[in-house]
Amino acid sequence: MLKKVIRSRATKAAAVLLVAAAGAWLGIFLSGTVRAQIGPVETGMTLRPSWTGETVVDASPLGTLTFHSHDAPLSLRISLENIDQERARLFLEDPTLTDRLPGIIERDLMDGVRDLTIRSLLCAGAGALIAVLLVFRRPLVALAGLLAASVALAGTGMFAVRTFEPGSLVEPRYTGLIAAAPSLVGSAEAIVTRFESYRAQLTKLVTNVSKLYEAVSTLPLYNADERSIRVLHVSDIHINPIAWNVIRSLKDQFAVDLIIDTGDISDHGTKAENKFVEEIGTLGVPYVFVRGNHDSKTTQRAVAKQKNAIVLDDKMRNVEGLDIYGLGDPRFTPDKTADTIDAAGMEQFGRDHRANVEKADLVAVHDDMAARGFSGATPLVLTGHAHVRSTAMLPTGTRIMVQGSTGGAGLRALEHEEPTPVQASVLYFDKETKRLQAWDDITLGGLGEQSVYVQRHVEPDPGRTISEEPTTAPSPTDAIDGTTTPANGMPLWQEGQSSPMLQGSPTEGDRDS
């Protein structure tokens, strides 16, 4: 009889502990974000339960840094949300403030973590108390659950403090837009002690991010009002995972309404590559896709299955207010038994489909030679294939915009001495006229590089006449019209390099095979 009583009480105690633990974890999940000013950087801090202890620094749009900073089952996430431009400028220009920056950052960080810890503990305690009270409906039992949760949380906190590893800051796991993570967190060569390395590396992180945001603040701005439709144009991803980081970051930073992918999302068009396209369903905006010469019909069907995906193959759809006609590439390059089509044949292929365009606001195809077949049928044709960005205004008034490779040409980046840059563009359309008003070209350094360029272009005559007969004189070099460049003509992150020239159609040797 006594054993049954003991067993019953032990079972009840275990149930109380389990419910209290669940309530505490839920309370931590609902505790929200603590805003903290760390030096010149405005951050948001969150604490979450995790199977492994880690600290994640979200330095958007650069990427994320993950540090194995402790062993307790808690994850600290610090998001860099904004930069106090005036304060950042003072830190960067005043040597005396620069010397004090490590101490300031350390103090601000500890204040933020303290506030976050207090809020998380209160929310966890409240969660444990409410959960036990709701399940067992006895105040004394609820208080016992709160006590147990408090002891467990205190133990977890002490475990995190005791296992904290300052030296982990020099061994981050990097995910993001810049290929060389050490440029963001600094080098480990000059480490003297773990504590000093903690201060120095944290200072390096904040200083580098401050420099980036300061450069971004000097960009020429296009005042896109509520009448603007924002389109992100990407192409030639070639199953490079970094492209999804780029696309997701640009989608959020520029608040785009839709994405247009002008093909070659795959490399060999095999069924094994289909899983790569599943990221499309996580983007949260319409993803318009036209097949490239490296995409098979299997690839096209895999894309069509994804949430948000709109596959256009000799079809027109209205997407977010724009009438878009898309045409898949007739070739499949990995199939060496198929007949090849030369440049003249591709232009004729486009011309054969002109009648299907009707009054499209824009046309999306993969090959820029096929794009020329739509001259005079539409104001704008988006294309890719060449892995080199360019634009041309045809005599008929049609503008052709050739996108570079948003995947840095995939593994092809290893075939040349110079890495292929990662490129994408944000296009601004007027909601009423549906005409292109301006566009931002974004270029990121390719494999092994870390430069970031953003260049603004304004369409000089958005309302021009589009006709099958020539209406304008072609630009002698097919160069971009209406260009506005940054004052110093330098990349935003890595100075000392000139801004890339956006010239006419690439030579045949530069084209994607």
Side-chain angles (χ1 to χ4, degrees), residues 127-358:
L129 181 65
I130 293 173
V132 176
L133 190 60
L134 288 175
V135 172
F136 296 95
R137 301 183 181 279
R138 295 178 61 183
L140 290 178
V141 175
L143 289 174
L146 173 60
L147 178 62
S150 299
V151 172
L153 290 169
T156 302
M158 291 179 63
F159 185 48
V161 172
R162 289 183 64 87
T163 59
F164 176 63
E165 182 57 61
S168 65
L169 277 172
V170 299
E171 297 179 351
R173 184 176 72 250
Y174 180 78
T175 304
L177 306 184
I178 298 176
S183 67
L184 190 62
V185 296
S187 172
E189 295 176 358
I191 297 174
V192 179
T193 65
R194 289 183 175 184
F195 180 68
E196 288 303 318
S197 104
Y198 160 71
R199 299 179 66 185
Q201 300 306 317
L202 190 58
T203 302
K204 183 71 172 177
L205 172 64
V206 174
T207 303
N208 280 355
V209 173
S210 298
K211 287 181 179 178
L212 175 68
Y213 275 82
E214 182 182 34
V216 170
S217 69
T218 65
L219 284 176
L221 297 177
Y222 170 68
N223 295 320
D225 56 23
E226 294 181 355
R227 295 181 301 171
S228 293
I229 303 172
R230 302 187 183 196
V231 177
L232 176 60
H233 179 204
V234 302
S235 191
D236 295 85
I237 292 174
H238 287 290
I239 60 170
N240 188 347
I242 195 174
W244 296 126
N245 297 70
V246 175
I247 291 170
R248 186 171 286 104
S249 180
L250 294 178
K251 172 188 72 76
D252 294 337
Q253 294 291 326
F254 287 85
V256 302
D257 299 295
L258 68 146
I259 300 167
I260 297 179
D261 183 342
T262 47
D264 276 5
I265 195 172
S266 183
D267 217 10
H268 297 91
T270 62
K271 187 175 181 180
E273 294 170 273
N274 288 349
K275 187 170 181 60
F276 177 78
V277 307
E278 293 177 0
E279 288 289 330
I280 293 173
T282 68
L283 295 174
V285 296
Y287 192 97
V288 179
F289 174 80
V290 294
R291 188 179 68 251
N293 62 298
H294 280 264
D295 302 319
S296 65
K297 291 293 184 70
T298 300
T299 306
Q300 180 171 291
R301 287 191 292 270
V303 172
K305 291 179 181 178
Q306 307 309 313
K307 182 182 178 182
N308 310 320
I310 300 170
V311 172
L312 298 181
D313 190 7
D314 195 19
K315 294 180 181 178
M316 182 153 61
R317 284 275 299 273
N318 184 283
V319 185
E320 298 296 319
L322 292 175
D323 289 326
I324 305 172
Y325 173 81
L327 180 63
D329 199 287
R331 304 161 299 180
F332 181 47
T333 300
D335 182 4
K336 301 304 180 182
T337 64
D339 295 334
T340 59
I341 305 176
D342 60 13
M346 289 302 298
E347 184 171 351
Q348 184 60 48
F349 172 73
R351 193 175 294 114
D352 291 341
H353 290 82
R354 282 173 53 89
N356 300 339
V357 172
E358 299 176 3

Side-chain angles (χ1 to χ4, degrees), residues 417-446:
E417 291 184 5
E418 295 294 327
T420 303
V422 174
Q423 297 181 320
S425 301
V426 177
L427 285 58
Y428 302 91
F429 292 84
D430 187 280
K431 269 189 177 180
E432 295 180 1
T433 66
K434 312 300 174 62
R435 289 296 186 92
L436 180 68
Q437 305 295 309
W439 69 95
D440 290 330
D441 284 331
I442 299 100
T443 302
L444 306 173

